[in-house]
Amino acid sequence: VLQDVLEREKEGKNRKGAKSRIEKKIDDLQENDEEAEIEYAPPEERYPELDHPTNDKQYVEGTVDGEYRDMWVYCETQQGALIDVSREMLGKARELMDGYNEAYDESETVVAVLVGDEVADLAEECLAYGADRVVYHEDERLDRFRHKPYTEIFCHMCRDWGPGWRDYHEPRYTLFPATNNGRDLSALVQGELDSGLASDCSGLYIEAADISNPAKTGTPGESRTFERVLHMKRPDFSGFEYSTILCIDKPHRDFHPQGASVIPGSFEIPEADAEAEGEVFEHDTDLPEEWFHIEVTDYDQLEDGVDLAGNEVVVALGRGIGEQPTKGMELGLELVDVFEEADLGLSRGVITASYEFDTHVEEYVTEERQVGESGQVVEPELYIAAGISGAIQHKVGMDESDTIVAINTDPDAEIRDFSDYYIEGDLFEVLPRLTEALKEGEL
Ligand code: FAD
């Protein structure tokens, strides 16, 4: 099934198609043979065009014991303060490493990494939110995120810098925020360290993993247990399924650190412990001037203009507006105008689609209006969702609303399951009728 998905990706076909295809395949399998077994072809057969290293080395489980330790958390800052997801990650890392140390009888630590201008003062706060150790690099040239120096510093801290504070151990696990800058940095660092990355994760736990796929273990017919594996859960297939990504060593190489970027809001911010103590280290290697060849000439801070949560009514539009996006936006805004305290929300589907909007509605198509896991969480008295399918990431941002009305042409869209009223119909017809009826006082 996955091979089929990959084939479709190669052909540039979209995920939505892939999803229904997978469902059909699963149905077929279940109908034809409930015990059906999926055969895994070895990678050389699946991708003959790629260069496949020979698997003549023994599988090295030993990397677990000697060379890697600790969970490193990249703590992003903005305007001299930790951003919330940094605190969330520190709390989660604390919880994970406490469990880890107990399970494996170890004493590995949570290491907070700070990079920027005047970040040393934030070290105490990192300790308060769960770090055992903090390593920071400050330099006024690091006042804004820049790929090259930030990546080089992080990798240098991991690989080359010591001795003393980290006893020559590279990190076992790394966490980054799935923010714009964090996404950049995580991919660059993990690539530079020759490992992998599970991006946009919303769930993490450490456990043993039993892998019976010979393509992974290199030993056909045998299953292997990998210890201390970070299970990284991320939404997939347009948010209708979750995948768990495992970063597992292969016979010919090992993959460390096991790295994830974390969607902001996925974990609780822990209570700060003002009494917490730990070690703080400065990384003070000279930074070559050529790392700063990009000059930042201007910087604009986006204003937080839209607070959807403060409204009694949210009218949210999804990709159902796709046939006439400008018209769809106009109809949504007209409905918003009927209510006293209402505003327009959008699914991420609309924000990431490449619709062309006329200028008078374009200004409304901003991430600030996104409702859901990676957008705003709203609980209005009335939530009207037009042309939204109800992916889990959207649902978590609105399903606590008092009353949910969904408008959808599909009689079985997922959103039906958590709507109070479901109007099966075309939003281009239903929205103006709703607006009219409300204006006339009929509803
Ligand atoms: P679709 O899933 O394409 O649904 C469109 C719906 O419109 C369909 O049900 C269709 O039947 C209906 N329709 C079509 N034409 C009409 C018409 N004329 N009239 C009425 N109905 C019509 N999504 C969010 O919304 N918020 C988030 O915060 C968010 N965070 C995410 C984070 C991550 C890491 C990932 C991977 C995804 C995230 N997503 C988020 C995306 C999410 O998974 C879905 O892809 C997205 O919500 C789909 O948007 P949609 O419902 O508008 O589009």
Side-chain angles (χ1 to χ4, degrees):
V1 171
L2 286 173
Q3 263 173 270
D4 271 10
V5 176
L6 287 173
E7 285 308 313
R8 289 177 62 81
E9 270 178 11
K10 275 192 208 155
E11 290 162 26
K13 295 188 178 158
N14 67 22
R15 285 175 157 192
K16 203 167 177 235
K19 178 185 169 264
S20 53
R21 203 172 151 86
I22 287 176
E23 283 173 347
K24 187 170 174 309
K25 277 265 181 191
I26 291 170
D27 284 350
D28 285 353
L29 276 174
Q30 281 173 347
E31 249 172 50
N32 297 334
D33 180 1
E34 287 197 356
E35 301 291 313
E37 276 185 27
I38 298 172
E39 297 240 341
Y40 290 96
E44 317 64 282
E45 278 174 33
R46 278 183 289 150
Y47 310 110
E49 69 280 16
L50 298 181
D51 187 18
H52 295 281
T54 47
N55 292 350
D56 52 0
K57 275 198 212 164
Q58 279 293 307
Y59 169 73
V60 198
E61 219 161 348
T63 49
V64 149
D65 297 321
E67 298 158 42
Y68 304 97
R69 280 179 69 87
D70 307 326
M71 180 171 282
W72 287 34
V73 179
Y74 172 66
C75 293
E76 187 173 331
T77 60
Q78 259 172 29
Q79 294 168 329
L82 288 183
I83 59 173
D84 278 349
V85 59
S86 301
R87 300 187 183 98
E88 288 171 29
M89 289 189 302
L90 285 171
K92 188 67 188 177
R94 176 77 277 141
E95 179 195 316
L96 289 170
M97 291 316 281
D98 284 347
Y100 173 99
N101 287 333
E102 197 180 323
Y104 296 107
D105 195 18
E106 294 277 12
S107 55
E108 297 192 21
T109 61
V110 175
V111 180
V113 177
L114 288 164
V115 182
D117 182 22
E118 297 187 6
V119 284
D121 288 351
L122 299 173
E124 294 284 305
E125 198 179 340
C126 292
L127 297 175
Y129 282 104
D132 299 291
R133 298 190 280 173
V134 181
V135 54
Y136 70 90
H137 190 117
E138 61 179 12
D139 183 316
E140 59 184 18
R141 293 171 297 173
L142 297 167
D143 59 339
R144 307 249 179 266
F145 174 75
R146 281 189 248 181
H147 312 246
K148 182 72 179 171
Y150 273 65
T151 307
E152 295 288 354
I153 290 168
F154 196 110
C155 293
H156 192 252
M157 287 171 171
C158 294
R159 277 200 297 229
D160 310 314
W161 190 63
W165 76 280
R166 67 173 174 82
D167 308 328
Y168 303 102
H169 285 101
E170 293 194 15
R172 183 188 298 287
Y173 311 110
T174 41
L175 303 185
F176 301 84
T179 53
N180 287 345
N181 294 340
R183 283 193 175 113
D184 257 359
L185 184 69
S186 54
L188 289 163
V189 165
Q190 293 295 117
E192 192 62 35
L193 296 177
D194 212 12
S195 187
L197 173 76
S199 58
D200 295 342
C201 296
S202 56
L204 296 169
Y205 55 95
I206 297 170
E207 219 176 67
D210 291 318
I211 306 289
S212 56
N213 177 353
K216 291 233 169 70
T217 58
T219 322
E222 230 180 64
S223 84
R224 297 200 68 120
T225 303
F226 296 76
E227 291 292 338
R228 310 173 191 220
V229 178
L230 182 61
H231 292 237
M232 303 173 275
K233 276 183 76 178
R234 70 184 302 280
D236 225 324
F237 299 114
S238 296
F240 287 97
E241 301 293 346
Y242 277 94
S243 316
T244 301
I245 314 281
L246 311 178
C247 188
I248 303 271
D249 294 346
K250 288 204 171 185
H252 52 279
R253 57 173 295 193
D254 64 87
F255 288 100
H256 277 88
Q258 303 176 45
S261 65
V262 171
I263 300 175
S266 300
F267 307 122
E268 299 271 311
I269 298 179
E271 293 259 323
D273 175 4
E275 309 292 309
E277 289 181 1
E279 296 171 292
V280 180
F281 303 90
E282 182 176 11
H283 176 259
D284 57 0
T285 307
D286 284 342
L287 308 181
E289 202 47 51
E290 66 256 29
W291 288 0
F292 295 90
H293 62 283
I294 293 174
E295 189 189 344
V296 181
T297 55
D298 201 3
Y299 177 81
D300 264 342
Q301 177 75 31
L302 287 182
E303 281 175 26
D304 270 349
V306 185
D307 175 20
L308 293 179
N311 288 282
E312 282 177 5
V313 180
V314 173
V315 178
L317 301 174
R319 262 198 299 229
I321 63 169
E323 277 188 17
Q324 299 177 67
T326 296
K327 180 82 186 154
M329 290 288 286
E330 285 170 353
L331 295 176
L333 287 165
E334 279 164 22
L335 182 54
V336 165
D337 277 347
V338 178
F339 300 101
E340 267 180 27
E341 282 187 33
D343 209 341
L344 187 80
L346 297 171
S347 76
R348 186 176 168 89
V350 173
I351 287 157
T352 53
S354 45
Y355 298 145
E356 289 195 3
F357 292 98
D358 290 355
T359 39
H360 66 289
V361 295
E362 203 173 18
E363 64 179 285
Y364 292 94
V365 189
T366 66
E367 279 190 20
E368 290 177 316
R369 293 189 181 274
Q370 180 177 314
V371 175
E373 180 181 285
S374 46
Q376 299 201 38
V377 176
V378 296
E379 298 177 12
E381 286 173 25
L382 175 63
Y383 189 88
I384 302 175
I388 293 178
S389 58
I392 180 76
Q393 295 88 0
H394 188 82
K395 181 182 175 199
V396 296
M398 44 68 82
D399 69 339
E400 295 291 314
S401 306
D402 289 351
T403 304
I404 298 173
V405 177
I407 305 164
N408 203 303
T409 42
D410 178 354
D412 295 316
E414 309 262 330
I415 199 167
R416 184 169 199 147
D417 295 344
F418 49 93
S419 297
D420 299 290
Y421 297 93
Y422 194 77
I423 305 177
E424 189 190 326
D426 184 343
L427 67 90
F428 292 98
E429 289 169 22
V430 178
L431 283 178
R433 285 177 62 189
L434 261 182
T435 306
E436 213 40 51
L438 283 159
K439 274 188 187 162
E440 300 294 322
E442 291 171 17
L443 287 176

